[in-house]
Amino acid sequence: MDKKDIILSPDYWVILSAPAGSGKTYFLSKRFLEIIKKEGINPLKILAITFTEKAAGEMKMRVIQMAKKYYPEIYKKYEEEFMMLRISTIHSFCNTFLKRFANEIGIPFGFEILDESSAEIYFDEKIDEFIIEKIFKRKEEYEEILKVFAFYKWERVLEFLKTLLRKRPLIDNIFYKIIEEEEIKEFIPKDFEDFSKYENKDMNEIFKISKKLGKSGEKSNLGFHSFVYSFFTFYIFHFFKEILDYYFKIKSYEAKVDFADIEFYAYRILNEGEVDEIYNVLEAFDEKTNHILIDEFQDTNFLQWRIIKKLIEEWRSGMGAKFEKGEKASLFIVGDPMQSIYMFRNANVKTFEGAKKDILIWLGEKAKEEILEENYRSLRSIIDFVNKIFSNEKNYRPFLKKRKNEEIGFVEIIINEKNEKEREIRAIAKRIKNLIGKEIVFERETEKKKKCEYKDIAILLRKRTNLSLYEKIFREEKIPYCVIGGIGFWKEPEIELLSKFVEFLFEPNYNLGLYLILKSPLFSLKDNEIFKFLIKDKDLWKGIDKNLKKEIEELKKEINNKGLIFSLMDYLIKKEFFKYIGNDIQKVKNVFKFFKIIFEIERKGGNLSEIVSYIRKRRKIESEGKANIFSEEMNAVRILTIHKSKGLEFPIVIIPECDEIKAESRDVFAFLEDESGYRFKIYPREKKEFEFYKEFYKELEEENKRILYVALTRARDGLIISGQFNFKDKPSSNKNAFQYLLCNADIKKLGNNYETSQKFENLKILKVEDIEESKPEEEEKIKRERIDFERKIYLPEKVPYFSLNNYYSRIFGEIIHRILDAFSKGILKEENLEIFIKNLLFEKGLEKKIREEFLKEINYHIEKLKESKIFENIVLPKENSFSEFEFIYKENGEIKKGRIDRLIIKENCAEIYDYKTEEKISEEEIKRLKIYKEAVKNYFGIENVKIFIIFTKKGKIKEVL
């Protein structure tokens, strides 16, 4: 059997190493369908696991599309099952166990799952409770711990505790011994003295010893550091254990579960004998599942692998009911160790190697390791460059170019010899402008050459430290851009202003908040005017102008009567707040997100006090994402982190500040994990002499090489890398990724130029000064798309204004669609209709009078649909129906995509419903409906497809085509 046959055969357990652009999703989907074909089994007997909801959705769609195209008989036979494929994330899969057995492990049914940010806030609250309840009220029991904290300061201790929290559930290997050995391996590393022997000694004596050691040498004294850090680690270990016990207990009482708990509890359910029915569960799983496929296996951790191992215990032994019946079982794992870049999220590249060894030992000849070497993504120069850069890495296998395009592509290295970030970013901006309009990129499907547009370029950052500088320079250079996955929502100026305003409405005596609000664009007062108020009274609120006070008092009355959200929105429109925001869609969407947050709190009965409390808690979360404004159609440069880019590809990739890809950790612990569990240590950052730290640092260095690899391999047609290095010294491959790249490319400076001893295909090495200002000819300019209010990102051109009637008509149609979609999906109930409509109207930033007119007109449309029974028979939830059904397919080499308002699948036909607020049908709309018809035929294999238009204003329905 050749490699391809082995990969697709259900007779073998397969470990597939699949590098970037090698088509791993194709092989996983193909194996899924080949198992059904060769084994004749139901698709629901196959479990596929991946690591994000987005990836799970894409995998499901890929399997369905492939089934319809290449396995039509199988698809026809199992059409209903294909709609329910068991493809999910590892967390969703583990959650099925937790939902079933929650009560047996002490968690109430109907528990709430906390997201990462909510869990961090919740943990902070519980630490505070623990400190008050346990420590300050019972000081004598915690005297030693308090002395340690006094020695190290509470803020630092809190940082340690949060670091440990981020390492759950893997840190539970220590605290709850969810490991396969009886004892924990090397809790205190060898080069640190084990101070657990001081557990029963007087704390004052220990402090005396530490001071004595400190005096015996300067800070460089390793003995002193060894004592302090080992000793402190020991006490943190015990204190965190107590907090974690309290945290688990209180979560259980309040029916809350965080993401780390899901895996932790799933493991306990499967391994610790706490559930009476567990053998029945494993038997049921075995009965229900014959094959498991795991995607992105390099992103797993040891705990997740242990969960999988437990599920396949009988399979690997070759015993049990399945084998007695002559049925086959297999495990297929696919991943790329070179793309393991989530160490900070507890992923461990060693898991892949460990799983491979396990499988090969268990199955012998029936297990196969296969490696894909083909690259279908990048052009020749990029593949050549990546292969040569990583050629010295022990486990790296060179790519083989398989893309059907003989063009070379290009690679550029831009060297910034001065330590000036702005200089480098300005050079990148100039280079982007030089690329626009040049025929250097290719259509993905047809490989037809085309002119480069802004949307063809992606900037991949290691971190967001200088993001504001990119935004500033791109605005100055008139480069449209879109930040994907931006964080720091609560620190955005418009959100800080609104937060302060809401806090002030709750606490009028909040002088600083009122001062900032009076200076803001809401009031635009100058310092001397504000100080006049303070002269009258030290309490700024009491001293302010009477008219101003009256204005705010009236707003507060409105809030008491109508609630915060609508009162504040009307007030902001009156104050022309949106003029301050201007044409920046990120700011507009951020404001809408802020008000949606408030709306949700008020909808659940929350008052102003609870809103302010929520804001103050969330403001601590730096990772809170800005409002999402990204759209594939936007003609704008994409800016995102390297981690966000994983799994994506772009025609041209720019990696600026490549020297920022370096070994560093925000954690105050050095963590190392192996099969037996975690070892960890509070380490002195300046002391890299410790062996434990060296081992940890080496792992960070290796991951940084992988981060560079992921960044380089996102590029299809062109690749540009820039970084800072002055060539006064030789570059060091361990310093950062840019120096690693300079070393491996053997780039040297000769005189005023750079050269390399290696032969690269179409590589240019440039200085920052070499990048010239672009002056493109008129015919080379890319015509900008018209971007309306809802789609706007930062665009240098003036946004075209629509006629008021057209604008409002479009907004009205969008709102009607969203309401009907919410009803069809069961999200919206009739009793909540009015508040739902008001929220949508508010979101659009419409003034009060327009909102009132819209509200009447929308209610009129809904009533007409009810009178004609269209609402009951078509709009409300139905079996085998879809709302806002998205599709994409290829016809004659052209990509067709769209969204169907309402789709109902019946026994012998499919019915498409298109909502319209007016009785007009254009030729373009007829063409669009024909595409819908073909899409449904392609997706569901149904020939009899009917199309209806629903005119919402008249409550009428008309069949077309």
Side-chain angles (χ1 to χ4, degrees), residues 468-520:
S468 58
L469 189 55
Y470 285 89
E471 294 185 275
K472 171 181 172 285
I473 290 169
F474 281 20
R475 284 192 179 102
E476 289 172 4
E477 295 290 336
K478 303 191 186 311
I479 295 172
Y481 67 87
C482 176
V483 179
I484 300 174
I487 61 170
F489 170 75
W490 294 102
K491 291 193 175 176
E492 288 295 285
E494 65 279 4
I495 301 306
E496 284 195 320
L497 171 56
L498 290 174
S499 300
K500 292 276 187 265
F501 194 33
V502 171
E503 285 181 277
F504 161 71
L505 291 171
F506 178 63
E507 291 179 344
N509 297 328
Y510 178 38
N511 275 354
L512 177 59
L514 180 54
Y515 168 75
L516 294 171
I517 291 158
L518 293 174
K519 282 201 73 175
S520 78

Side-chain angles (χ1 to χ4, degrees), residues 626-746:
K626 295 176 189 175
N628 182 27
I629 62 169
F630 177 65
S631 165
E632 288 288 348
E633 291 81 25
M634 288 177 174
N635 187 18
V637 174
R638 279 75 165 125
I639 303 177
L640 64 163
T641 63
I642 297 170
H643 284 86
K644 279 278 181 188
S645 76
K646 192 163 170 287
L648 303 176
E649 58 181 53
F650 308 93
I652 295 174
V653 165
I654 300 176
I655 309 165
E657 301 181 88
C658 189
D659 51 292
E660 291 297 331
I661 305 175
K662 55 190 175 186
E664 57 186 7
S665 173
R666 63 177 179 152
D667 292 335
V668 291
F669 284 99
F671 280 92
L672 290 170
E673 185 197 12
D674 55 28
E675 265 286 7
S676 63
Y678 255 128
R679 292 176 286 149
F680 72 96
K681 190 71 188 176
I682 298 170
Y683 65 91
R685 292 176 192 264
E686 72 279 7
K687 290 294 165 191
K688 296 176 185 176
E689 295 93 334
F690 291 130
E691 287 304 316
F692 185 76
Y693 181 84
K694 286 178 183 175
E695 194 180 341
F696 172 69
Y697 195 80
K698 181 64 179 171
E699 288 200 7
L700 289 177
E701 284 179 349
E702 291 303 311
E703 184 176 68
N704 277 302
K705 292 174 190 175
R706 300 193 295 269
I707 290 170
L708 176 64
Y709 168 85
V710 167
L712 298 177
T713 55
R714 300 309 96 197
R716 284 176 49 78
D717 307 325
L719 176 62
I720 299 172
I721 307 129
S722 73
Q724 192 275 325
F725 187 68
N726 59 24
F727 284 94
K728 288 179 181 176
D729 301 308
K730 282 186 177 181
S732 165
S733 62
N734 295 325
K735 186 79 174 174
N736 59 53
F738 194 60
Q739 291 192 38
Y740 171 83
L741 188 147
L742 295 175
C743 284
N744 287 10
D746 195 27

Side-chain angles (χ1 to χ4, degrees), residues 273-291:
E274 294 184 37
V275 177
D276 294 335
E277 296 177 51
I278 191 59
Y279 290 106
N280 294 336
V281 174
L282 290 170
E283 194 174 309
F285 174 82
D286 191 60
E287 182 70 29
K288 188 178 170 183
T289 313
N290 282 36
H291 302 272

Side-chain angles (χ1 to χ4, degrees), residues 7 61 77 86 355 471 491 544 842:
I7 291 170
M61 189 59 72
K77 182 178 178 181
R86 294 168 64 204
E471 294 185 275
K491 291 193 175 176
I544 65 169
F842 150 73

